[in-house]
Amino acid sequence: MQPMDLRGLSPAPVTAFTRDGEVDYAANARLAKWLAGMEGVKSLVILGHAGEGTFLTEEERLKLIHTYVEAVDGAIPIIAGITGEGTKVAAEEARKCKAAGATGALVYPNHGWLRFGYQKGAPQDRYKAIWQESGLQCILFQYPDATKASYDLDTQLAIATQDGVVATKNGVRNMKRWYVEIPELKKANPNLQVLSCHDEWLLPTMFDVDGLLVGYGNIAPELLLDLIAAGKAQDYPRAREVFERLLPITRAVYHRGSHMEGTVALKLGLVHRGLLDHATIREPLKNLGEKAEAEIFAAFEAAGISRASALLAAE
């Protein structure tokens, strides 16, 4: 197996819909091409939270993978979010995603664990089954410390050293744990690629990672690529400068009442950048209202982020 190279930016694109709520495959292909065309974008991660993946039918999910694979034309891997509850269900989901053209799997925890916690050994078995059934290269997904689906260090170490696991997307949002656990993961598997997904406050994690796997990559990939470069160079003043420029957008998109609102805000950001014509979403997501829309648009103006002119000029 040649591991995916994720040492850069891996955006998690939204799913574009038509105004009547159907998947707009042409609009999704345009977004894929725009993101994949940027140097430093290493993969596109679809069918997760930002992509409303659990709100799509199986037919829609598999067709969206086909759409993305065709749009990027082999330039970068397409990674599918695997969200099925049971281990057998998740493994079968992964097998179908592989057949549709996906290269990798962002493996979500069984969502029952969010409320009830997990039994020792169950997460490892989930990853093992997905790898053995599908051959998709797996990304260990570390949920926030505030949830019961946030894996302890022993569980992370066991998963990180399994066959087929090439990276970890770490969103623990507890810096005490981050500073202890990330070095231990790298010690156990020096080839493990560490990806931050702390959309709300990326700066503290930027100096320890190989890259970012974030929904934020939809709306400001250019600045996130600058932030990654500054972090890898250990250039704190430059990283701080980029972070401060992004802060109005960070506040407008992610510092909201619910992280789920971030998906709606991402779509509004893409409307402002000219990449989507409208911000249609699916239930149970709700529109944010005119006031929030104005705040988000004003945040982009404050950050000096303009329309995606290169894409628009090519059409």
Side-chain angles (χ1 to χ4, degrees):
M1 177 190 71
Q2 179 62 41
M4 298 181 291
D5 177 9
L6 304 177
R7 294 173 177 85
L9 177 62
S10 291
V14 302
T15 295
F17 297 111
T18 63
R19 290 186 184 275
D20 60 2
E22 298 301 314
V23 177
D24 187 337
Y25 295 101
N28 284 293
R30 287 196 298 273
L31 181 57
K33 290 177 181 178
W34 178 64
L35 291 168
M38 295 187 188
E39 185 176 356
V41 169
K42 296 295 189 175
S43 74
L44 297 177
V45 184
I46 62 175
L47 305 179
H49 289 146
E52 299 173 73
T54 55
F55 308 160
L56 306 181
T57 67
E58 180 181 271
E59 180 182 1
E60 289 171 333
R61 292 197 302 269
L62 296 178
K63 187 172 179 181
L64 195 61
I65 293 172
H66 278 297
T67 298
Y68 265 79
V69 170
E70 184 177 281
V72 305
D73 194 25
I76 54 175
I78 301 303
I79 298 171
I82 302 300
T83 57
E85 286 287 276
T87 300
K88 181 178 177 63
V89 171
E92 176 67 9
E93 178 186 351
R95 184 189 63 79
K96 292 178 180 178
C97 291
K98 173 73 170 182
T103 299
L106 176 60
V107 182
Y108 284 71
N110 182 311
H111 281 74
W113 298 343
L114 287 165
R115 180 180 178 188
F116 299 112
Y118 58 91
Q119 292 174 284
K120 294 290 187 179
Q124 296 93 306
D125 288 346
R126 182 173 176 85
Y127 282 80
K128 181 179 179 181
I130 287 169
W131 167 248
Q132 291 183 341
E133 180 69 22
S134 71
L136 289 178
Q137 298 182 40
C138 295
I139 300 174
L140 163 57
F141 195 170
Q142 174 68 330
Y143 261 39
D145 184 57
T147 74
K148 292 185 178 181
S150 186
Y151 303 137
D152 61 28
L153 179 55
D154 286 343
T155 299
Q156 291 179 76
L157 291 171
I159 295 171
T161 52
Q162 286 184 181
D163 290 343
V165 177
V166 301
T168 180
K169 172 184 176 177
N170 190 295
V172 70
R173 289 166 172 80
N174 176 338
M175 295 312 294
K176 290 188 293 185
R177 290 188 63 185
W178 175 277
Y179 291 131
V180 171
E181 294 176 357
I182 294 300
E184 291 299 318
L185 287 167
K186 291 295 286 185
K187 187 188 302 182
N189 181 358
N191 295 319
L192 186 75
Q193 298 169 85
V194 177
L195 312 173
S196 176
C197 65
H198 293 74
D199 307 77
E200 304 97 318
W201 31 279
L202 288 169
L203 186 62
T205 64
M206 287 311 305
F207 304 94
D208 305 311
V209 297
D210 297 294
L212 300 178
L213 197 171
V214 285
Y216 213 149
N218 282 265
I219 52 175
E222 306 95 332
L223 287 178
L224 291 184
L225 288 165
D226 287 346
L227 188 59
I228 292 168
K232 289 185 176 182
Q234 300 296 299
D235 186 347
Y236 180 81
R238 174 58 181 156
R240 182 81 195 192
E241 179 184 341
V242 177
F243 172 80
E244 292 287 354
R245 183 176 170 190
L246 283 167
L247 190 55
I249 300 174
T250 306
R251 294 178 65 185
V253 173
Y254 288 110
H255 294 183
R256 312 197 66 85
S258 164
H259 196 72
M260 293 301 294
E261 294 181 13
T263 294
V264 192
L266 287 173
K267 288 191 172 183
L268 288 168
L270 289 169
V271 170
H272 188 267
R273 296 212 64 184
L275 292 155
L276 293 181
D277 294 329
H278 51 91
T280 301
I281 49 179
R282 276 193 179 172
E283 293 279 355
L285 293 180
K286 298 290 186 181
N287 290 320
L288 300 180
E290 293 182 359
K291 181 180 177 182
E293 181 176 323
E295 289 172 352
I296 291 164
F297 287 3
F300 276 83
E301 296 295 335
I305 298 178
S306 60
R307 288 169 64 83
S309 55
L311 176 73
L312 300 174
E315 292 189 337

